[in-house]
Amino acid sequence: MSWLPLVGTVVGAAIALSSALLVERRRERRQDRIDRRATRQDLYARYLAAHAHMRTQLRILAATSGLADEERANRARTAYAGCFAPRSELEVLAPQSVLSPARNLDRCARAVRDVIIEGTNIQVQGTEAMNEYMDSMALVRTAMRRDLEVNDGV
């Protein structure tokens, strides 16, 4: 009895099994990259939306006259509070290249919030804080787009 056909069959099966495992491993890695990117995309969108909502609420609050100081402060803090959850997620999922500008954006958001709490008219006296906030927002957007490898066609 010849062992050669049996050895050939075993070697062929081992090659087929290892190549199937290799292909499956590559497919899993590719899907994992796709899933991680989609998760970051969703998180970045929620983070920017939270800041947009906060900014809108603070602008409305700044334009609202006749509020007691305590009421203004409570509304401003509530508007900023919506940024906490996405910021915490960002700390876990985003790379440092996004976290650094995001931390600066949050610092600027708190400054704008504090200007509103003081009762300053953001359209007249608080423009420096708002401009710094908007500049910081642009840097965060750029960092997020770079992380997601969004091509602007340039």
Side-chain angles (χ1 to χ4, degrees), residues 24-147:
E24 183 60 28
R25 175 87 169 144
R26 285 184 179 170
R27 188 176 332 174
E28 285 175 1
R29 284 183 182 170
R30 182 176 40 246
Q31 188 59 45
D32 187 46
R33 279 193 311 271
I34 291 168
D35 291 346
R36 277 186 277 136
R37 185 178 193 276
T39 299
R40 285 193 327 268
Q41 250 178 330
D42 182 53
L43 170 60
Y44 294 169
R46 282 185 285 121
Y47 179 81
L48 293 174
H51 272 274
H53 180 72
M54 179 212 64
R55 188 173 59 249
T56 301
Q57 294 302 311
L58 290 179
R59 283 182 185 263
I60 291 169
L61 187 57
T64 303
S65 61
L67 287 176
D69 291 344
E70 186 175 326
E71 178 68 16
R72 177 184 283 93
N74 285 337
R75 287 185 185 185
R77 287 186 190 102
T78 301
Y80 178 71
C83 297
F84 286 143
R87 168 66 195 284
S88 297
E89 289 181 65
L90 205 64
E91 290 285 340
V92 174
L93 296 173
Q96 191 61 40
S97 62
V98 173
L99 283 179
S100 293
R103 286 181 183 128
N104 188 52
L105 177 64
D106 285 337
R107 183 190 57 76
C108 293
R110 287 189 303 273
V112 170
R113 177 202 63 194
D114 293 345
V115 165
I116 299 297
I117 287 173
E118 293 169 3
T120 305
N121 184 335
I122 201 79
Q123 310 300 346
V124 178
Q125 297 166 324
T127 56
E128 183 179 327
M130 185 55 85
N131 288 341
E132 188 176 339
Y133 174 81
M134 295 307 290
D135 292 344
S136 185
M137 175 68 80
L139 292 174
V140 169
R141 265 192 234 109
T142 300
M144 289 175 173
R145 292 177 66 80
R146 197 173 293 135
D147 178 49

